Amino acid sequence: MKEPAVSIVIPVYNVEEYLDRCVQSVLRQTLKDIEIILVDDGSPDRCPQMCDEYASKYSHIKVVHKKNAGLGMACNSGLDVATGKYVAFLDSDDWVDPEMYETMYDTAEKHEAQLVFSGLRRVDESGNIYPMSIIKEIQVYSSPEMIEEFRSGMVASAPSERLERRIPMSAKVVLYDREFIERNGIRFESERHLISEDLIFNLDNLWHTTCVVVLPDMFYNYFTNEKSLTNAVRLDRFDKEIILREELHKRYPKASAEFHTRVDRLFIGYMRSDVCHICQAESLSFKEKRAAVKRVSSFPVWNDICKTYPVKSMPFVHRLFFKGMVSGWFVLLYMLANLKR
């Protein structure tokens, strides 16, 4: 049987309200030579039955039912059964524009690229749209030096820049050469072990690729549930981010010094974001906020970062935040966090 052009893997968990919007957006693709793989990750709602109903109605839809193990492992289960020349991933509460996969497939074929990135837009519950792509024209990275620059830029921007990142880290806006992935033995890490599993998956691919293309087109609609974002305060994030930093430094020992500087920039940015989230959280008392933020200054990791990180080149507000986190200046951090609201 002829392999499809693209396999689209959709992990499914507790998205009964949004699943049909997602699946219908894939069924409407202008590229018809596709297979759709719905991975039911032990969903507790009607999603397992909905997946089976789609498969009974459409011959190019496969369903994998599995015990719940998280998003990264669900993506791997889809990869294990994918047969397309290329593979893409799509979150089941998001949706894509009709021409997404045809455009990305044609681009990959034209440039013989192992990875093709597109832009995305964020859409909130009220239908407000926030573009998240910042490039204006197609970009092709086809030399080791260019790919190294791209790889570092995906981790984080240079320390002197205000913008955290110019290159998307999401695996959901990428078309991958499936045989390339298999040849290099690449799989997702579990987000229960390592956060930012998409970033690690992309970096693992980028260590082997010879051509990457980035499109300015925003095909991907990233849905944000503002209520869940506002209420979800994870005090264990600090520890997970320390583990992520250690893993990125250890996983890529041959990377450039600039790459490792960007890893520390990523860590600092994550910490700053979490401190802001905690200081702004309505679910925490002032005392709880103070205790959580003061704990940040006790992390030994700051000793290593202060020895090598170019703190003086940071934008002024970022530098204030950094000093506040290292020194445990809660009042300063609290004021800065709430000024950003």
Side-chain angles (χ1 to χ4, degrees):
M1 182 181 294
K2 177 181 176 291
E3 68 178 15
V6 177
S7 298
I8 303 162
V9 176
I10 307 176
V12 177
Y13 184 81
N14 207 23
V15 287
E16 181 180 339
E17 181 180 357
Y18 308 113
L19 182 59
D20 192 61
R21 178 178 66 186
C22 175
V23 173
Q24 293 300 329
S25 76
V26 181
L27 290 171
R28 287 193 293 267
Q29 289 297 299
T30 56
L31 179 66
K32 301 304 180 185
D33 186 14
I34 61 175
E35 69 173 358
I36 303 168
I37 303 171
L38 301 173
V39 183
D40 162 36
D41 192 30
S43 187
D45 56 4
R46 283 196 64 255
C47 283
Q49 293 88 346
M50 293 174 69
C51 290
D52 289 337
E53 289 168 7
Y54 290 125
S56 67
K57 188 174 181 180
Y58 300 99
S59 61
H60 62 306
I61 293 183
K62 297 178 181 178
V63 177
V64 176
H65 295 288
K66 63 183 293 296
K67 183 179 179 180
N68 178 260
L71 185 60
M73 297 302 97
C75 287
N76 288 343
S77 294
L79 260 177
D80 290 342
V81 301
T83 61
K85 181 174 183 182
Y86 298 93
V87 63
F89 303 93
L90 169 61
D91 283 343
S92 48
D93 52 353
D94 299 335
W95 69 99
V96 292
D97 291 354
E99 65 276 15
M100 177 170 181
Y101 296 117
E102 182 172 24
T103 304
M104 297 178 80
Y105 172 82
D106 289 345
T107 301
E109 291 287 283
K110 177 181 177 180
H111 294 277
E112 297 184 353
Q114 293 88 33
L115 286 78
V116 177
F117 286 74
S118 71
L120 72 159
R121 59 178 75 91
R122 182 168 66 85
V123 185
D124 66 20
E125 290 180 297
S126 301
N128 298 312
I129 297 173
Y130 304 92
M132 298 178 70
S133 179
I134 61 173
I135 70 166
K136 303 300 182 184
E137 59 186 12
I138 186 171
Q139 297 178 349
V140 181
Y141 299 82
S142 56
S143 71
E145 294 77 18
M146 294 172 72
I147 292 171
E148 167 64 21
E149 179 184 352
F150 182 85
R151 197 161 49 218
S152 295
M154 176 176 288
V155 175
S157 296
S160 60
E161 294 190 44
R162 292 185 60 85
L163 188 67
E164 295 292 346
R165 182 181 299 101
R166 295 184 178 276
I167 297 170
M169 67 163 64
S170 173
K172 310 310 183 297
V173 297
V174 190
L175 187 71
Y176 302 90
D177 182 319
R178 188 179 64 82
E179 194 276 332
F180 170 82
I181 288 176
E182 297 299 335
R183 184 170 68 248
N184 290 290
I186 301 169
R187 285 295 187 270
F188 284 89
E189 296 283 354
S190 170
E191 71 277 11
R192 297 175 182 179
H193 171 59
L194 284 172
I195 60 171
S196 294
E197 72 283 358
D198 279 10
L199 172 62
I200 293 174
F201 184 77
N202 280 331
L203 291 175
D204 285 351
N205 275 278
L206 287 166
W207 282 110
H208 303 283
T209 188
T210 57
C211 183
V212 179
V213 180
V214 183
L215 300 173
D217 310 83
M218 289 178 284
F219 300 120
Y220 194 97
N221 300 283
Y222 167 56
F223 180 66
T224 54
N225 184 328
E226 298 300 326
K227 292 180 180 178
S228 65
L229 287 175
T230 301
N231 294 331
V233 179
R234 295 288 302 275
L235 297 180
D236 63 340
R237 286 277 302 184
F238 294 132
D239 303 285
K240 292 185 176 182
E241 284 154 7
I242 291 172
I243 292 171
L244 174 65
R245 175 185 177 271
E246 292 173 350
E247 174 65 22
L248 290 175
H249 282 310
K250 181 177 67 175
R251 197 180 189 102
Y252 311 112
K254 296 182 180 180
S256 66
E258 181 62 23
F259 175 89
H260 291 287
T261 297
R262 302 293 181 92
V263 169
D264 283 345
R265 161 80 197 247
L266 173 71
F267 174 77
I268 294 167
Y270 274 172
M271 285 284 182
R272 182 172 58 247
S273 177
D274 289 341
V275 166
C276 287
H277 198 186
I278 288 170
C279 289
Q280 296 167 1
E282 296 177 1
S283 59
L284 297 176
S285 69
F286 188 82
K287 183 178 180 180
E288 288 171 324
K289 293 176 183 180
R290 185 177 186 277
V293 173
K294 291 284 284 185
R295 178 172 170 257
V296 172
S297 64
S298 69
F299 297 143
V301 66
W302 296 121
N303 295 327
D304 293 334
I305 292 175
C306 288
K307 291 176 183 176
T308 58
Y309 196 76
V311 176
K312 291 182 179 179
S313 69
M314 298 170 73
F316 178 70
V317 174
H318 287 193
R319 194 160 68 248
L320 274 182
F321 249 103
F322 181 82
K323 293 289 188 181
M325 290 189 295
V326 171
S327 305
W329 296 339
F330 171 70
V331 174
L332 172 65
L333 295 173
Y334 185 84
M335 291 173 61
L336 288 172
N338 284 285
L339 279 173
K340 295 181 65 178
R341 302 189 78 168

